[in-house]
Each structure stands twice: as C-alpha cells, then as structure tokens.
Amino acid sequence: MAANLVQGALFTVMVVRAEMLRDPAFETELAQQVQRSPRFFLNAPVVLDLRAAAEFTHEGEFIEARDILRRYTLMLIGVQNAQPAQLEAASAAGLASFAPTATQPSRPRSAAEQSQSAPAPPQPAASNAAKSRLVTQPVRSGTQIYVRGGDLVVTAPVSAGAEIMADGNIHVYSALRGRALAGASGDIEARIFCSRLEAELVSIAGHYLVSDQLPPEHRGLPVQIALVDDRLTIERN
Amino acid sequence: MARIIVLTSGKGGVGKTTSAAAIAAALALRGKRTVVIDFDVGLRNLDLVMGCERRVVFDFINVINGDAKLNQALIKDKRNDNLYIFPTSQTRDKDALKRDGVERVLEELKDDFDYIVCDSPAGIEHGAITALYFADSAVIVTNPEVSSVRDSDRIIGILASKSRRAERNLEPVDVHLLLTRYSMERVKRGEMLSVEDVNEILSIPLLGVIPESESVLRASNTGTPVVFDHESPAGRAYIDAVARFLGEQREMRFVKPERRSFFRALLGKA
C-alpha cells in the first residue's frame, strides 16, 4: 500500500526564461502565440528558468510572474536552476523546484525565443545536426524511435506497430504505416512528411488523427502534415 | 564451421517445425551434413515430424545441463546419413534454455556439421529469443495473412536488435522470407495476401513459396519430412527454396494459378 502512495510520471512542461518577463515585447508576443493555439496553452503548466536571472529573490516577484502568465492562461508551477536565495523565495510563493535540465527549450522558433535578449549560449549549427537522426533500415513493428530535440529522417518503410517520435519534424521517404509523433515536446511548428501515408496515427504537439480519421483521398500518397489553427491539416506533396 | 539457421515467425501454427524438418532434410539431400534442433522445450514436436519419437533417450536440455553427451542425444535419420535430429525435452520449460549452455552445445556441433537448423518456439519470449540469438541466417516463416505478417515484422526487428550479431556489431543476420500455406486460388478471391503484398510490407528476400497442400499434413502425421515425398508440390517447393538458399537461381513456382490439364480436369482432380 505504502509503495503505491507515491508514483512517478513524466510530463512535458513549457519552460519560460525568467529574464524574458522583463522584456517589454514579451507579453504581446506571448499573447499572439496563445491566440494562435488557445487550446494548447489553456492551463498549461510552466516552469520558470532562473539560469540567467539575477533577481527573483523576493516572493513578490514570483507572484507577479505567476499573475502575468496567468493572464495568458498559463499556470506557473515551479522554477529550475534557482540559486539558494531564489529557491527560498520561490518556495515561499508556493512554487516547486525542478531539476536543472541539460536540454534547451525545444522550440527554437517560438515567439518567446525570438524575443529573447539575454546572452544565452549560442547554439552552433553543427550541434543541431547532431541531434537529428537518420534511419536507413526499415523500422519494424514493435520498435520505438525517439529523437530528443531534433528531427527524424527515415529512408525505409515504417511498419504498422512501430512508433517514431521526434521533438522536431519527421520525414519518412517511404511508406509510413506505423505511428508518427512530431513535436513530441509541444513544438506546434513541427511537421510530418512522408512519401506514402498509410499511418496508424499521426500527431503533432499532441494533436492527433488515427487511421480512421485520415481522409481517404490522401491514403497511400505523398503528403505533409502540419498543425494549422489547432487542426492537423494534410496537404498533398 | 557450421552455419546456424533459425526458423522463426513470432506467430504460432504457421509451419515452423514442418519447415525446419523439410529444410534440414533438403540440405541433407544436397549432401550437407545437417542437424536440426528443437528449441520448443516443453512442446516437443520436431521428433514426431521427423518420425524418430521412439528413439529419443536424451535430449537438448540433458546435454545443456551436462547430464548426457552430445552423441548420446543426437539421433541419426534413417533415410539420410547426413541428417541428424536433436530432440528437446517435453518435461521441462523454456527457462531450462541457458544461453551459455546453448552456446557451448552449438560450438560443439559446429565442428561436425555444415548446417545447424534451429526450430524456434512461437512468441517473442525467452525461448524464441534464445533460439534466434546465435543465428547466422534466419528463415522467417510467414502465412499470407495480416497477423502473421505483422508478427514476422516484429521478429525481424528483434533479429536486427537482439541477436548476437547485432549485439556484437557483426555483419547482420541474413534474413529470408518463406511464405507457407499459400493458395493461389484464395489469393485470387482476395482471401489471402499475395506474395507482392507480403513483400511490400516485409521487404526481405523471398526464399520460397510453399503451396497449401494435403501432402504437408500427411507428411507431418507420418513423420516423414515432405521433401522425401517426390510427388508433393510442397516438397518440391522446399527443395527449390533450399537451392536458392545455397545460392542457385530457381524460378518461383506455385505463385501463378496452375493450369489444369485437360486430363486432370476430366478426371476432376485438382
């Protein structure tokens, strides 16, 4: 019984860099972003990354941040990369402490990133390429492939019962018969490309269509799938 | 040094044991010293299909456990001097297949034989994984229907990730497709997948197509591998498949509807 009281689970959470809250353009851009996909942002949990923020040593600053985010339907739930003093203030404001992660926020082209002014370490182009993965062998039933923070390119068939996932885009230069989940960490800009659409399920940033919902006129054809106004749209390539 | 061939499928009842018996016998007929091993511990069938069930004294598990010597357990086929049968235990279960024990036995067999044919149990659990782990070649036995094809796809994935060759980054297991219980008539009626349909999904080289045939059941029941039946179309298809395995070019038979000869039509025979 006691062992069942606490169970672990993994969640995808948006990360906002604390210093961006100080940027005058932040709110307008956030408002636009939220307007584009209101369902995605509704009550979505947010963690404040304090890595590059010197302030935030007072409880009031966290409450202010929470109120700003709340205006745009977001829910501030915790902080990461906090200094001891910051941590104390955050916990007084009722925020949880999250472990620091090595990964950068996985949405390189989001409004938040574009408006960022803090001297974040520049990402060399090569490291992005290294995060992408190329698979040249057929992805067989029962196999799972996940590319964290990058694109997945498959040049062989993806069988029914296989599952391919990427934080970025998914390209399949062959038949896609299994499940494909692009934007697995919430990137709504991610897309799925395939030469033959016969998928069991396609998903972008959590919006999905199962095989039955795929329009029959696109079956077996080369398509690209994108998220437009919260809807998965399929376009003939 | 022997080459280890595993017959596997994921799904049960597709004809692994029948095919293992037929392929081993066909290899022996080609003059290759061949031993066929039953990995289906607890569901001992290979000895029945090979017709040597009354001669089993010691088995694979006894040898793995060191309770018997290899030559005490190997049964020599009465029809062909090149062919040996290595039966398994009916009283134990798959856990008795210890990987290091299996490896030791296979290493010992490798010196004496050209081919070691492993008849895998169904499923993707310990027994099946142990049977395919040491494979150099794999024959994926598939029926022309969707569930069998999907299970085959799964097992091909396992061969590519969990076999010894995969783990040690050696040249990958060379994988072949054997399509069994194929009926051209039923393919035409849309009740079965065609060779092309299966190939499209699995995309591995096709070793052979074995036609659905009464002679297969008869062969199993009488304990005679079907390749010893010269009249049987299935037997001929297995012989062709083994010839292709050995690198020969042979035209695929039984994939087009057979023309009924005038006389046969007259006599009402298929």
Side-chain angles (χ1 to χ4, degrees):
Chain A
M1 175 66 193
N4 293 331
L5 282 177
V6 177
Q7 289 185 333
L10 285 171
F11 297 98
T12 304
V13 177
M14 275 180 273
V15 175
V16 170
R17 294 200 186 153
E19 69 275 12
M20 292 189 313
L21 288 170
R22 300 279 185 260
D23 191 318
F26 175 74
E27 285 200 43
T28 19
E29 296 218 18
L30 181 60
Q32 284 168 4
Q33 187 88 12
V34 171
Q35 210 171 15
R36 273 202 289 274
S37 7
R39 261 204 304 161
F40 181 72
F41 287 102
L42 184 62
N43 294 325
V46 170
V47 166
L48 204 57
D49 186 350
L50 297 169
R51 189 182 338 209
E55 313 95 334
F56 289 97
T57 47
H58 300 289
E59 184 186 336
E61 287 175 287
F62 287 105
I63 291 172
E64 190 194 346
R66 179 164 60 196
D67 292 344
I68 293 174
L69 293 169
R70 193 62 206 147
R71 282 208 286 279
Y72 303 98
T73 73
L74 298 171
M75 198 88 85
L76 183 60
I77 57 164
V79 297
Q80 68 170 173
N81 295 317
Q83 301 299 321
Q86 293 174 321
L87 194 56
E88 208 171 302
S91 95
L95 297 177
S97 166
F98 285 78
T101 48
T103 49
Q104 297 289 316
S106 60
R107 303 178 40 198
R109 281 186 295 135
S110 72
E113 283 273 316
Q114 280 164 10
S115 70
Q116 150 212 332
S117 53
Q123 289 273 324
S127 92
N128 261 339
K131 279 184 199 157
S132 297
R133 188 162 159 206
L134 172 66
V135 174
T136 56
Q137 292 298 311
V139 184
R140 301 287 180 184
S141 183
T143 317
Q144 219 174 24
I145 297 178
Y146 173 44
V147 181
R148 187 185 296 275
D151 290 0
L152 171 61
V153 181
V154 185
T155 59
V158 177
S159 294
E163 192 166 72
I164 54 174
M165 290 177 284
D167 286 344
N169 306 302
I170 290 177
H171 305 252
V172 179
Y173 295 104
S174 186
L176 170 58
R177 302 193 176 98
R179 297 164 163 245
L181 297 91
S185 305
D187 185 358
I188 54 170
E189 308 277 323
R191 293 189 178 193
I192 297 171
F193 305 83
C194 66
S195 325
R196 269 178 64 186
L197 179 67
E198 293 171 22
E200 293 175 321
L201 178 144
V202 290
S203 158
I204 294 173
H207 298 260
Y208 65 88
L209 290 175
V210 294
S211 178
D212 268 357
Q213 300 168 309
L214 292 173
E217 65 268 25
H218 291 305
R219 258 199 108 66
L221 295 173
V223 296
Q224 65 168 299
I225 304 167
L227 195 59
V228 179
D229 294 334
D230 270 2
R231 294 176 71 93
L232 285 187
T233 56
I234 305 178
E235 236 179 76
R236 178 80 190 272
N237 255 5
Chain B
M1 271 299 258
R3 196 164 175 85
I4 301 175
I5 309 171
V6 62
L7 278 93
T8 186
S9 67
K11 196 175 185 324
V14 294
K16 279 184 297 298
T17 301
T18 305
S19 297
I23 285 177
L27 282 166
L29 284 172
R30 296 290 302 255
K32 310 289 182 192
R33 281 181 63 80
T34 305
V35 56
V36 53
I37 309 179
D38 191 349
F39 271 78
D40 203 350
V41 186
L43 295 168
R44 198 182 91 193
N45 283 161
L46 180 70
D47 50 328
L48 286 172
V49 174
M50 295 295 291
C52 64
E53 72 278 8
R54 295 183 190 177
R55 297 159 64 200
V56 176
V57 184
F58 295 108
D59 58 49
F60 192 23
I61 304 301
N62 294 140
V63 179
I64 287 175
N65 291 340
D67 300 332
K69 290 213 174 67
L70 202 51
N71 56 18
Q72 294 177 290
L74 284 181
I75 300 174
K76 188 173 179 179
D77 190 83
K78 284 184 169 162
R79 293 151 295 211
N80 190 302
D81 288 346
N82 294 317
L83 184 58
Y84 286 78
I85 300 105
F86 200 172
T88 195
S89 164
Q90 177 74 344
T91 53
R92 306 291 296 274
D93 61 34
K94 309 281 190 282
D95 294 337
L97 285 170
K98 302 270 187 300
R99 190 171 282 181
D100 48 352
V102 171
E103 179 171 23
R104 206 188 59 241
V105 174
L106 289 176
E107 284 304 319
E108 205 174 327
L109 286 168
K110 269 188 164 182
D111 298 331
D112 290 337
F113 290 94
D114 299 319
Y115 289 97
I116 301 171
V117 177
C118 304
D119 177 24
S120 167
I124 52 170
E125 286 80 29
H126 176 71
I129 302 295
T130 310
L132 66 77
Y133 184 73
F134 297 100
D136 298 311
S137 298
V139 175
I140 311 296
V141 184
T142 306
N143 288 169
E145 47 108 4
V146 282
S147 58
S148 174
V149 171
R150 181 172 297 188
D151 291 0
S152 295
D153 193 52
R154 180 90 164 98
I155 212 87
I156 298 167
I158 291 173
L159 276 158
S161 59
K162 291 196 178 159
S163 60
R164 178 166 66 170
R165 281 175 174 268
E167 279 184 4
R168 298 196 179 165
N169 253 331
L170 301 171
E171 193 186 320
V173 178
D174 101 277
V175 179
H176 305 267
L177 174 64
L178 187 69
L179 209 49
T180 54
R181 311 191 69 173
Y182 196 77
S183 157
M184 200 54 232
E185 293 301 316
R186 298 188 61 189
V187 170
K188 268 204 308 195
R189 290 203 296 269
E191 297 168 2
M192 262 187 186
L193 299 177
S194 67
V195 178
E196 293 76 27
D197 294 336
V198 179
N199 237 344
E200 165 101 34
I201 297 170
L202 296 180
S203 50
I204 54 172
L206 180 64
L207 197 61
V209 177
I210 312 299
E212 174 93 21
S213 156
E214 275 177 28
S215 57
V216 174
L217 188 62
R218 194 168 57 234
S220 290
N221 285 338
T222 56
T224 317
V226 71
V227 294
F228 290 131
D229 177 355
H230 300 293
E231 300 295 309
S232 162
R236 296 202 313 262
Y238 276 114
I239 293 206
D240 281 355
V242 164
R244 287 185 203 105
F245 183 81
L246 296 173
E248 288 174 27
Q249 296 283 336
R250 297 239 173 146
E251 204 192 334
M252 285 288 167
R253 287 191 270 191
F254 315 112
V255 292
K256 295 188 188 72
E258 252 184 282
R259 266 177 299 153
R260 276 174 153 226
S261 76
F262 176 71
F263 274 112
R264 285 191 163 204
L266 209 63
L267 294 167
K269 283 186 186 166

